[in-house]
Amino acid sequence: RSRQSNSGKVAFIFSFSSFSEGEQAEAWLKEAGLEGLYDSSLEGNSDQEEDNVGFLSTLTRTQAAAVERRVKSAYQTQRRRNRQHVPDVRDIFKPPRMVRRNKCTQTTLDDHLNSCTLSNFGGHVPFIARGNHQRSKFTSPKSPDDKLPNFKLLRDKTGQTRIGDLSLLDMKKVHRLVLVESTALFDTAGIDLKPHKAVKIKSRESGLFGVPLTSLLDQDQKRIPGTKVPFILQRLISHIEEQGLDTEGLLRIPGAATRVKALCQELESSFYDGTFPWEHLKQHDAASLLKLFIRELPHPLLTVEYLSAFIAIDKLPIKKQQLHALNLLVLLLPEANRDTLKTLVEFFQRVIDHQAENKMTLNNVSVIMAPNIFMFKGFRSKITEQQEYSMAAGTANIVRLLIRYQNLLWTIPKFIMNQVRQQNMENQRKQKERAVRKLLKMITTDKPSERTIPEESSQGFIRIHAPQFRKVSMAVELTEDLQASDERCLDGETYMKDLIQLNPTAEWVIKVVQR
């Protein structure tokens, strides 16, 4: 579907045809890094095979079942497509007690199923309800705001891990596990997700409205490196808060359409010059510009890939499952989308905190903002009016959960962290085995052994000093995979003795972090 903007600068082309089941399975396995389980052309990559071994060994029963279902579907599609030999799914996921092992996984489904301590996703949900439903002093007994349980995070002495606490390498492992777990959750509930194909889009690469988030951040980061949320969104929010959050009907009452359009054009031309007259911008107009910014994003804030999953959350029968699914989907979002969404829901909560004056309850804000977040360009024209009303009710509930439980959603579930640790320990074990084999080979070939203790002048090493912590300097070998941020940032409530018992091979680094 093609749509030309009034200015003639933007063209959107959306493809709304869904994946076939086999195509969907292939795309899913590729995102999970498991395409080697069905694609014979990828055989021979020993590193990838070993990585898959470690990954599969951490899966629970329902997670393994989700992978198996998609391997079967992808295998059948691949077989129909080229009629050439591909690995049979039975060689990868063997029935219990089957002895023969496939070289790709070096393990059977039965092996790691028997080692699972968590039998289904119900045991994974990292939230518990504490006490009765919380009621705000501003809500009436019949308000939908009063129907949400008071969920709390399950905590232990190893502390809670939030987004941003892990290295990029570990976050990639988290993404794979979260993808499998979220899929398993919907599978177990009997919900068949039908994501849309990737869309081909031509959009503006500069400006403010109708510009992809990544492009906005690129141009903003040239001005201030490290920017995570577009300047225009930050400035609109700060203006609304500076002028006061007690304006009645804030976010609900729209500004005059012609005036908002003129303000939009003026912002486009003068925002970065610093000449826009913010002192004359009215509250309702500013709120309308904020909603327009979200609505005009070429790609939906929740992404085309995961939008169907977000909408399907409302089909889950138990509130705790809905919250668990929402937590997982937030973790799957790209960093720019996740940071922008977090900024928005934090702002919505501050609006709700002033509901005694502005009359904007959690339910009111959710109902008003849901269409802006979920009804992106080109989507509304593909559904009927009745479908739109039905979707609005369900998506309002999802926005309500996003706002109400935002402090829980930007955390990594404990069982996912445990699976990452298991995978890291398995990888470390295999690295040690390779090092031993290499050493034995060197000995048998009478090759002179290299220095085991590097000197400062040794090529490929750097010497680290930490005088502020009175740390004796040490030499660190530079490898292809070594990054400056290869560590986990610990929660302040972590009990170190409990953590070292859980992760005995960890290395420890102390550094100053500016908050």
Side-chain angles (χ1 to χ4, degrees), residues 217 220-229 231 234 335 339:
L217 288 173
D220 289 348
Q221 286 168 356
K222 291 176 182 177
R223 294 171 170 83
I224 300 182
T227 300
K228 293 188 174 183
V229 178
F231 287 158
Q234 294 185 49
E335 185 177 2
D339 291 338

Side-chain angles (χ1 to χ4, degrees), residues 138-154:
F138 303 115
T139 58
S140 67
K142 295 183 179 180
S143 170
D145 297 4
D146 189 43
K147 297 180 180 179
L148 295 177
N150 183 25
F151 283 115
K152 300 289 185 182
L153 278 172
L154 285 169

Side-chain angles (χ1 to χ4, degrees), residues 21-30 32 34-35 37-38 62-78 89 93 179-180 182-188 191-195:
E21 185 177 351
E23 290 174 328
Q24 182 180 337
E26 289 178 351
W28 186 92
L29 288 165
K30 185 175 182 180
L34 297 172
E35 62 267 41
L37 296 185
Y38 74 92
T62 51
Q63 291 172 348
V67 175
E68 181 177 8
R69 175 182 174 185
R70 279 145 190 87
V71 171
K72 287 179 179 178
S73 180
Y75 163 70
Q76 295 296 337
T77 299
Q78 186 88 337
V89 67
F93 293 101
L179 176 64
V180 175
S182 61
T183 304
L185 193 156
F186 285 110
D187 281 358
T188 307
I191 299 172
D192 190 16
L193 300 178
K194 295 292 185 184

Side-chain angles (χ1 to χ4, degrees), residues 27 50 120 146 162 199 220 240 247 273 288 382 421 497:
E50 285 190 1
N120 54 62
D146 189 43
R162 291 188 168 272
V199 296
D220 289 348
I240 293 171
T247 303
D273 295 338
S288 293
K382 302 300 293 185
R421 289 192 183 102
K497 186 176 179 180

